[in-house]
Amino acid sequence: MKLRPEMTSDALTRLKRARGQLNAVIDMMESGGDCREALTQLAAVSKAIDRAGYKIIASGMRQCEAARDRGEEPEMTEEELEKLFLALA
């Protein structure tokens, strides 16, 4: 299934935010920053990446449902989407 910008913009926003947070964690580690702050930011990065993945899966589910509604064969089966979803869990 192709990633379509109009369907994944929220996930992309989350990933860009996570990239900034990860850069901040790296900077903290390189400069001897506060451990608690670094771990807090690292937890935020992890959550943002997870949520981006779930948004992408949800987008794929919507795309497949729309294809079925149009009488078309979806690009992915429910089993394939489920496997991708479980890979995130």
Side-chain angles (χ1 to χ4, degrees):
M1 180 174 344
K2 300 280 187 209
L3 293 173
R4 299 178 189 156
E6 68 275 8
M7 300 292 282
T8 58
S9 63
D10 189 43
L12 185 58
T13 299
R14 289 177 187 279
L15 289 172
K16 286 180 179 182
R17 186 177 307 129
R19 178 173 53 192
Q21 290 170 316
L22 184 57
N23 285 337
V25 171
I26 292 168
D27 290 344
M28 283 183 234
M29 292 177 72
E30 290 177 341
S31 65
D34 182 68
C35 175
R36 284 176 292 222
E37 188 177 339
L39 289 173
T40 298
Q41 286 296 316
L42 196 55
V45 169
S46 179
K47 186 171 183 173
I49 290 171
D50 288 345
R51 291 190 56 87
Y54 294 132
K55 287 286 189 177
I56 292 169
I57 293 292
S59 172
M61 292 170 62
R62 284 191 298 274
Q63 287 179 33
C64 289
E65 183 65 27
R68 280 193 283 284
D69 288 346
R70 292 187 305 268
E72 300 171 2
E73 185 70 28
E75 294 181 50
M76 296 183 78
T77 66
E78 289 180 11
E79 291 79 18
E80 290 171 318
L81 285 168
E82 180 181 2
K83 185 175 179 181
L84 290 174
F85 176 80
L86 292 173
L88 295 173

